[in-house]
Amino acid sequence: MSGLKRPARVTVGDRVRFDGQLRGVLAVSALAVTLSDGERPYRVVPLLELFEAEDFEVVDTPMRMPLPPASLLETFPEAVVEKALWWEGHVLEVLHGLLPGAEPGTAPRPGYGLDRSLTARQRAKAAELSAAGHRVSASTVAHRRRRYQEHGVIGLADHRPVRKRPQFGEVDDAVVTAMRQAIDEAVDASTRTGTFLLWRTGEILKASPEGQQVKLPSQRTLYRLLAKPTAGTHATGSATTRRSRAHGAQGPHGELPVFAPGEVMQIDSTPLDVLVRLDNGVAGKVELTAMVDVATRTVTAAVLRPTTKSVDASVLLARTVTPELMRPGWVDALKMSRSVLPHRRLLALDERLEQAAARPVIVPEMIVCDHGKAFISRNFRSACRFLEIELQPTHKGSPFEKGHIEKMLGSVATLFAQFLPGYTGRNNDHRGRHLEGERLWSPLELQDLLDEWIVAHWQNRPHDGLRDPAHPGRLFTPNEKYAALVEACGYVPVALSGDDYLELLPAEWRVVNDYGIRIKNRTYDSPELGRMRRQDSGIQAKRGLWEVHRDPYDVSRIWVRDHRRDNTWVQASWKFLNRVPVPFGDLAWDHVSHQLPRATEAEIADAVAALLTRAHAGPQSDTGPRSNKRDRRVAARTKAAGPITPASTSSGTSCEDTSEESEETLAEVIPLGLFDPLEDPWKRP
């Protein structure tokens, strides 16, 4: 027994060398092995005799094929799927001797027993199908059997109805290359139409000897071709968006891991889409400069200034680290003591919170900003250095690196500014008429309204970026997230892998966007998705979507089938995976839901409604009916110029008498006949 050459295992399908011949293993039992034999249908050899043979060896053991992509059957017509499943039943009977679903102990039908060779069973199946009117030969059955063993049921389907269409059709590659070059050249140029891009494509081809030999397709074909490489690039749209997409990151959008309030904060400024009454009495715009905490989405401070300067950024930083005190006229529901914030615990550490409003006080550790002069100035840098705050400028032309503050500033226009008189819209196409004649707020009055709106609305509004990782259907408000971080904890999911297991996972069809793939409010991304972003998968039945497999019990990652590269798998991880998501679970929700006493939702809603109503009405006037815009402008300029001194002052009239006289009577103002840009052009003379 010591001389036995026993292999690791002998299974059906192996090829062994025995008795001077290569033989296939047809069946294996506890005592014997059934081998193929050239002279007879089969040969039963005891295991001891097989292992003791001098020339015995397992020639090769083919690796088990991976599970076939059965979910791709969804892309085939119903008739093709039914035909493939019909063939699968017959092929399985040829391979195993029994039809699918046969009861245990069922004997094979005559001609399909495993004591017969595979070739004999294939002949029997061909005869059976031919007798049923299908006219199938034994070679056809063998071909189907091999296709099934290699590709599974998908190999039995007729692929003609779902052939993948070429990405750019039959157009010469040189035309596509020239068109891509023309699109790249137009990134930093002014926006032009598709006609120019096609003309430039022809010029590029003419400039090279190889391109001169290429015949351009018809104009209609070129326009259809142009739509593919320009998809998602804004090549004929917004120049700002086009440059941002072209110069932005090509891989996954990076995100700093944030575990606590203040760990990463972002600052930026933008013109507010509202006219205000400036100090000189003329209507104009102001800039909104704000700071947002990434972990909680809390707007820690926001200031309005005619032009943002470095000192304004420093003031904003100071307001961030100090409490927002309750102001006269604010409803009691806006107090921190009546919010979900842990007021009692914080009050023991900071007595300034006694009369504070419900807005967290957050000390920044890192501030992300762009290269605006106000943020890279010596003044602002000195303030950050004094408070031991790290200042991290973004790359130039990369606004996505501070996307949280960019989105927040845009939300202010949607959620707050549009309710104000003098709202201009985001551009001239959205601007109304006669805005200067409305009752406009002054910058100081508007600042007070904005502060109240942030406390009343923004901090109590559920934020889409503050979803509970364990329950994505739940949304935190900024105040709730700040309170929950005190009790937070996290976990690291266990990774899952294996191609066989992937095929068993449920499949979905999704678009691969710039930011990755979004499934059930979770975002997944990977560097390997770069070639799929905004691209067509080629699966016409699914409208060019990509096949995604996911484990419903593990949200850490998903797998995307690359239909363009031999159906290989690309793994994409959940963007929160490397952040150890906090907070999560019922503990955090219970913590923020049982703070007593707290303002009710109805009280907060009433406060927000009253605020918007008051803001929309504009400032109240104590001088009676509103004067026209010319009178207001003249009065403002007269007031700014100071009291008018009459000529009689030279004869000894006191300055006090002069002031009283000037307050009672104003000099008549005779306007010159000049062009007035503020005059109503539709007014009849």
Side-chain angles (χ1 to χ4, degrees):
M1 295 294 292
S2 60
L4 293 181
K5 297 178 293 182
R6 179 172 298 176
R9 63 178 181 175
V10 176
T11 60
V12 176
D14 288 349
R15 298 176 62 199
V16 299
R17 188 181 304 278
F18 174 70
D19 199 13
Q21 294 184 8
L22 289 177
R23 306 172 187 270
V25 179
L26 303 179
V28 179
S29 65
L31 300 176
V33 177
T34 303
L35 303 177
S36 61
D37 195 332
E39 301 176 357
R40 295 175 294 179
Y42 64 91
R43 178 177 177 180
V44 179
V45 181
L47 288 176
L48 291 178
E49 180 183 348
L50 179 68
F51 294 157
E52 289 180 342
E54 293 294 335
D55 61 344
F56 167 73
E57 65 173 333
V58 178
V59 177
D60 56 1
T61 304
M63 297 180 61
R64 182 178 62 84
M65 298 299 295
L67 289 176
S71 55
L72 285 179
L73 279 178
E74 299 177 11
T75 65
F76 288 81
E78 184 177 354
V80 174
V81 174
E82 292 180 357
K83 186 71 173 179
L85 296 177
W86 177 82
W87 265 112
E88 182 183 29
H90 293 294
V91 171
L92 288 175
E93 187 176 20
V94 170
L95 289 174
H96 307 299
L98 296 175
L99 289 170
E103 295 293 335
T106 303
R109 294 192 300 161
Y112 296 102
L114 295 181
D115 56 341
R116 305 194 63 186
S117 66
L118 184 62
T119 303
R121 296 198 296 272
Q122 290 173 169
R123 293 196 190 100
K125 179 57 68 176
E128 176 190 346
L129 296 179
S130 298
H134 296 287
R135 301 182 61 183
V136 175
S137 64
S139 61
T140 300
V141 176
H143 173 71
R144 298 282 182 173
R145 187 260 306 166
R146 289 190 295 269
R147 292 275 298 173
Y148 181 79
Q149 289 179 315
E150 183 177 357
H151 302 290
V153 67
I154 200 74
L156 302 176
D158 184 0
H159 286 65
R160 287 176 296 179
V162 292
R163 285 178 178 169
K164 296 178 183 178
R165 59 183 183 275
Q167 187 173 5
F168 300 107
E170 303 299 329
V171 179
D172 194 291
D173 292 340
V175 178
V176 178
T177 302
M179 185 173 291
R180 289 188 183 278
Q181 181 179 341
I183 295 171
D184 293 339
E185 293 176 353
V187 168
D188 295 318
S190 300
T191 300
R192 293 178 170 87
T193 64
T195 302
F196 172 83
L197 294 177
L198 296 184
W199 171 83
R200 180 57 186 154
T201 300
E203 293 297 308
I204 294 174
L205 289 174
K206 294 177 183 178
S208 63
E210 297 81 4
Q212 295 176 1
Q213 307 300 323
V214 177
K215 181 180 180 181
L216 285 174
S218 65
Q219 197 79 354
R220 181 177 298 180
T221 301
L222 286 174
Y223 272 108
R224 287 198 301 266
L225 174 63
L226 182 65
K228 295 181 179 180
T230 58
T233 63
H234 286 255
T236 58
S238 169
T240 302
T241 306
R242 179 172 64 252
R243 290 191 295 268
S244 177
R245 285 187 175 275
H247 300 311
Q250 299 300 319
H253 289 191
E255 186 172 0
L256 290 174
V258 181
F259 303 96
E263 189 172 357
V264 177
M265 303 185 72
Q266 298 178 356
I267 186 173
D268 199 8
S269 62
T270 187
L272 189 66
D273 299 328
V274 175
L275 292 180
V276 298
R277 188 65 61 192
L278 300 176
D279 293 340
N280 59 4
V282 179
K285 281 191 173 184
V286 292
E287 287 191 359
L288 168 63
T289 304
M291 186 178 296
V292 64
D293 174 51
V294 176
T296 65
R297 302 302 198 273
T298 294
V299 178
T300 57
V303 295
L304 298 173
R305 294 290 186 272
T307 302
T308 302
K309 299 181 180 180
S310 60
V311 65
D312 298 326
S314 301
V315 170
L316 189 75
L317 186 59
R319 295 189 62 176
T320 297
V321 299
T322 56
E324 180 72 58
L325 298 180
M326 290 289 294
R327 303 181 189 178
W330 287 15
V331 296
D332 189 66
L334 301 185
K335 288 184 176 180
M336 182 181 289
S337 59
R338 298 201 59 197
S339 70
V340 298
L341 299 174
H343 180 254
R344 295 180 182 178
R345 184 183 307 177
L346 297 176
L347 183 60
L349 303 175
D350 191 348
E351 296 180 355
R352 299 178 303 170
L353 300 178
E354 177 67 29
Q355 300 297 328
R359 193 209 70 190
V361 178
I362 301 177
V363 179
E365 296 181 17
M366 175 189 292
I367 296 179
V368 179
C369 63
D370 56 20
H371 290 262
K373 293 182 179 180
F375 308 129
I376 61 175
S377 64
R378 181 181 304 175
N379 192 350
F380 187 63
R381 287 178 178 271
S382 299
C384 292
R385 191 180 304 112
F386 177 78
L387 295 175
E388 297 183 352
I389 299 173
E390 180 182 355
L391 190 63
Q392 180 62 58
T394 63
H395 295 87
K396 292 185 177 181
S398 303
F400 59 86
E401 294 183 357
K402 52 180 179 61
H404 299 294
I405 186 64
E406 296 279 353
K407 181 64 176 178
M408 177 266 163
L409 295 175
S411 298
V412 170
T414 304
L415 302 175
F416 175 67
Q418 66 173 338
F419 292 92
L420 300 173
Y423 175 63
T424 61
R426 64 177 182 266
N427 53 41
N428 289 336
D429 292 339
H430 294 77
R431 186 179 178 123
R433 295 169 53 188
H434 312 304
L435 300 181
E436 296 82 359
E438 297 183 5
R439 185 177 297 173
L440 304 178
W441 293 100
S442 69
L444 292 179
E445 293 170 329
L446 188 57
Q447 178 72 63
D448 187 70
L449 288 173
L450 178 61
D451 293 338
E452 184 179 358
W453 178 82
I454 290 175
V455 175
H457 183 71
W458 181 271
Q459 293 298 122
N460 296 285
R461 176 177 176 267
H463 198 289
D464 186 69
L466 300 179
R467 293 184 178 272
D468 183 354
H471 305 282
R474 293 177 172 180
L475 277 71
F476 283 102
T477 67
N479 280 351
E480 289 173 341
K481 186 61 178 287
Y482 180 86
L485 283 174
V486 178
E487 306 289 340
C489 61
Y491 71 102
V492 178
V494 179
L496 299 175
S497 61
D499 288 350
D500 292 342
Y501 185 62
L502 298 184
E503 295 294 350
L504 299 176
L505 298 179
E508 300 183 15
W509 297 85
R510 289 289 188 271
V511 175
V512 181
N513 290 303
D514 289 337
Y515 54 80
I517 299 174
R518 194 170 178 86
I519 296 179
K520 291 189 178 296
N521 298 315
R522 298 185 182 96
T523 302
Y524 299 84
D525 207 347
S526 170
E528 287 76 17
L529 292 179
R531 58 180 178 272
M532 304 182 192
R533 302 181 195 277
R534 306 188 308 276
Q535 299 300 318
D536 192 301
S537 67
I539 306 299
Q540 186 175 3
K542 290 297 182 179
R543 306 186 306 278
L545 301 179
W546 298 86
E547 182 186 355
V548 178
H549 284 216
R550 66 182 185 89
D551 187 345
Y553 301 103
D554 185 351
V555 300
S556 62
R557 61 204 67 202
I558 61 174
W559 293 266
V560 186
R561 193 192 303 278
D562 191 345
H563 301 283
R564 295 287 184 184
R565 294 195 178 183
D566 300 329
N567 293 325
T568 56
W569 288 103
V570 174
Q571 178 178 295
S573 299
W574 183 24
K575 294 185 70 174
F576 278 36
L577 182 62
N578 63 344
R579 294 179 53 185
V580 188
V582 292
F584 73 95
D586 293 333
L587 175 64
W589 279 93
D590 292 342
H591 174 73
V592 301
S593 300
H594 295 85
Q595 300 289 330
L596 295 176
R598 61 173 296 184
T600 63
E601 293 185 7
E603 288 178 311
I604 295 177
D606 292 342
V608 174
L611 167 64
L612 295 179
T613 301
R614 188 170 72 254
H616 180 71
Q620 299 297 325
S621 175
D622 297 331
T623 59
R626 290 186 296 172
S627 57
N628 59 47
K629 60 184 178 181
R630 184 183 299 275
D631 293 339
R632 292 198 305 272
R633 185 167 62 253
V634 170
R637 290 175 177 172
T638 303
K639 181 178 179 180
I644 301 176
T645 303
S648 59
T649 58
S650 60
S651 60
T653 306
S654 65
C655 295
E656 295 181 357
D657 295 339
T658 302
S659 300
E660 294 177 357
E661 181 180 356
S662 63
E663 291 179 358
E664 294 178 357
T665 59
L666 294 177
E668 180 182 2
V669 178
I670 303 177
L672 299 177
L674 300 176
F675 171 71
D676 186 357
L678 300 178
E679 186 176 1
D680 187 355
W682 288 273
K683 184 177 179 181
R684 295 181 179 274

